[in-house]
Amino acid sequence: MYFGELGATIMLMSDAEIEDLKGLMTKARKRPVNFAICMGKAPDGTVVLGHLRKDPEVLARQAKKAGETPKVAFGAMEVSGKKLLLTCPEAPPGGIAKRTKAFLMLIKMPMKVIFLDANGAVIQDDGEDETSDDAEGATQAPLAEDTPGHKAAPDQAAAWARVESMTTAMVQKMADQGAAKAGQVQAAWKAAQAAAAAGDFATATAVVAKLKPILTAFSGQASDAAQAPDALAAQWAKAQAAIGPRYEMAMALQPENAGKLRAAWAMAVQKADGADFQAALTIIARLEPAVEAVIAAGPAQSVVAAGTVAFQKSRVLWVTARSKMMAEVHKLAEAINAAAEGDELADEIRAAAADIVAEVEQIDTRLQEALDSLTNAEGASRDAMKRQAAGILAEYQALLAKGIFTRIDDNPFAPVSVATTARNALNVISRTLAA
């Protein structure tokens, strides 16, 4: 949460985020820096994100999620003297240059703001001459008739007492629900209470006005509605992790209704990808008993040939192991990201966590596909498929012997079993392929 000189300018961006932005703008004097801006309803509601490597469109989605309007611009920014040059692949929203300039004044970085197209032509600027040093803070004005240090009338104190009681309860409710901005809201609320204690009720009331829409979103039905999608998403993730390996096991048995099972599973995943988690859960609930019935019945007679069951078991073992492995690495990434909150290098830490996930994803689905083909192969074709599966397995084992895999299970963030899970499964499958 960022406080200006009057102690009552409540920014959507935190102190740490603003300091990170200032550092990136310093770097933008030497090289282009990717950026995204989400216009606020007022200058202090503007969100500006920057990153040296992250794609501008990714930053745009993050800025829009963190901001309060759908008006977003993105691209590459450079700083030249007292000019901020923002090159955009798409036309920026109208008025964003003036709004960005006002935001920069609030954070004490006054500059002339110019938006350019991909060819370097000016498509929008703030309409003012280049900002001078003494213009700093010009947009900041008292938020009420009283300024800090002025005494308020007794009726203001009584009115504040009523506001304080109600707002304290709402702030506490937001904290109890573990909302993402609860810490920032609590910090702002403490500042408002301190201002009121000093007799500056105008500043305190102005802070409450800024906090009110945030608090309302986390109270009553609005709060419940905001959390419902997250709760359904969590239910889907849990259901998918539970039934996914069972579904794979059933499909390895090549049941007569394989087509129907495959279509139902694909539909559930498609619904979840479209954020319709309720529909996905409904499909899963109907699919689960059919999957369990197939597993209970065992393999169809037509597929029980010499070695086939062993290969089927290997495939199911690998699908289950890889599913666990990926769940574990995502668990680790979440722990790393949580530890990075508030760190001045948070963006770099989050990028490193994403790199860890990407490195583990090198152990892909090729072995699963090879084992699937192996269960249906016969004669010379089966021997060729065994060699192919063995080659992929050896590639995975080589990966597990180096890089992040040598230390991932022994990390300071979260207890996980990524490399161990993969190694154990591959050792078993290797013996089956060698038989």
Side-chain angles (χ1 to χ4, degrees):
M1 192 66 65
Y2 181 83
F3 296 89
E5 290 181 350
L6 296 181
T9 300
I10 312 301
M11 310 287 288
L12 277 184
M13 295 180 65
S14 68
D15 287 342
E17 290 170 334
I18 289 173
E19 289 305 311
D20 286 346
L21 175 63
K22 289 181 177 180
L24 286 168
M25 291 181 73
T26 298
K27 293 178 181 178
R29 293 185 178 276
K30 299 179 180 180
R31 53 163 291 186
V33 174
N34 294 338
F35 82 94
I37 301 174
C38 180
M39 286 179 64
K41 296 177 182 177
D44 55 3
T46 299
V47 173
V48 183
L49 302 182
H51 202 278
L52 294 174
R53 299 184 303 275
K54 192 171 293 185
D55 189 275
E57 292 190 21
V58 173
L59 293 175
R61 290 194 293 270
Q62 293 177 342
K64 186 175 180 180
K65 183 176 180 181
E68 53 186 12
T69 76
K71 299 178 180 180
V72 177
F74 61 91
M77 67 178 178
E78 296 178 84
V79 176
S80 176
K82 296 180 180 179
K83 296 179 181 179
L84 176 62
L85 306 175
L86 303 159
T87 302
C88 304
E90 299 178 7
I96 195 171
K98 290 185 177 180
R99 184 59 50 82
T100 302
K101 181 182 181 70
F103 167 82
L104 293 174
M105 298 288 277
L106 286 177
I107 66 171
K108 302 298 183 182
M109 292 195 73
M111 279 186 278
K112 172 140 184 93
V113 177
I114 303 173
F115 282 83
L116 309 170
D117 65 16
N119 297 318
V122 176
I123 50 179
Q124 188 180 146
D125 66 21
D126 56 31
E128 298 181 19
D129 294 334
E130 188 169 328
T131 306
S132 61
D133 293 337
D134 60 2
E136 189 173 302
T139 60
Q140 298 191 31
L143 296 174
E145 292 182 1
D146 291 330
T147 55
H150 288 198
K151 294 297 182 181
D155 60 338
Q156 288 181 300
W160 170 255
R162 293 190 295 271
V163 171
E164 183 177 27
S165 176
M166 178 182 66
T167 307
T168 296
M170 295 176 71
V171 170
Q172 188 59 50
K173 182 176 181 179
M174 187 174 181
D176 291 343
Q177 292 185 5
K181 293 187 177 182
Q184 296 176 10
V185 169
Q186 286 179 311
W189 177 235
K190 288 179 181 178
Q193 290 177 307
D200 184 9
F201 295 105
T203 294
T205 302
V207 174
V208 172
K210 292 286 186 180
L211 293 179
K212 186 175 179 180
I214 302 174
L215 292 168
T216 300
F218 285 90
S219 64
Q221 294 180 351
S223 177
D224 293 338
Q227 292 188 21
D230 291 338
L232 289 173
Q235 289 180 40
W236 161 253
K238 184 177 180 180
Q240 185 183 33
I243 196 175
R246 303 292 288 173
Y247 164 78
E248 294 290 349
M249 183 181 294
M251 295 303 290
L253 298 176
Q254 300 183 24
E256 293 182 359
N257 62 344
K260 292 181 179 180
L261 296 180
R262 188 177 294 109
W265 179 258
M267 179 61 71
V269 172
Q270 181 182 8
K271 291 293 185 182
D273 288 344
D276 190 353
F277 299 110
Q278 187 61 65
L281 289 167
T282 299
I283 296 170
I284 282 287
R286 295 172 181 170
L287 176 63
E288 186 172 11
V291 166
E292 294 302 330
V294 169
I295 294 173
Q301 290 298 317
S302 62
V303 298
V304 182
T308 297
V309 173
F311 297 139
Q312 291 171 350
K313 289 181 177 179
S314 291
R315 181 182 184 281
V316 172
L317 172 62
W318 179 242
V319 168
T320 304
R322 187 175 182 278
S323 177
K324 179 183 178 182
M325 182 178 66
M326 295 312 302
E328 290 284 276
V329 73
H330 282 290
K331 171 184 170 184
L332 174 59
E334 289 173 3
I336 293 172
N337 289 338
E341 287 296 328
D343 194 293
E344 61 180 8
L345 299 176
D347 282 345
E348 285 76 6
I349 295 172
R350 285 191 286 268
D355 289 341
I356 291 173
V357 174
E359 190 165 349
V360 173
E361 286 177 339
Q362 292 180 87
I363 299 182
D364 50 28
T365 61
R366 286 178 297 139
L367 180 58
Q368 171 185 330
E369 294 161 1
L371 290 171
D372 189 37
S373 298
L374 183 54
T375 61
N376 298 314
E378 296 178 359
S381 176
R382 170 171 286 191
D383 292 338
M385 292 306 305
K386 283 178 67 175
R387 288 193 294 272
Q388 179 184 350
I392 297 171
L393 187 147
E395 179 185 331
Y396 291 168
Q397 289 179 323
L399 283 172
L400 289 167
K402 62 184 181 181
I404 190 64
F405 295 104
T406 62
R407 57 188 184 277
I408 192 169
D409 290 352
D410 184 21
N411 68 82
F413 299 99
V416 296
S417 179
V418 177
T420 301
T421 295
R423 289 192 190 103
N424 291 342
L426 291 175
N427 286 340
V428 174
I429 297 169
S430 178
R431 291 194 291 271
T432 299
L433 292 174

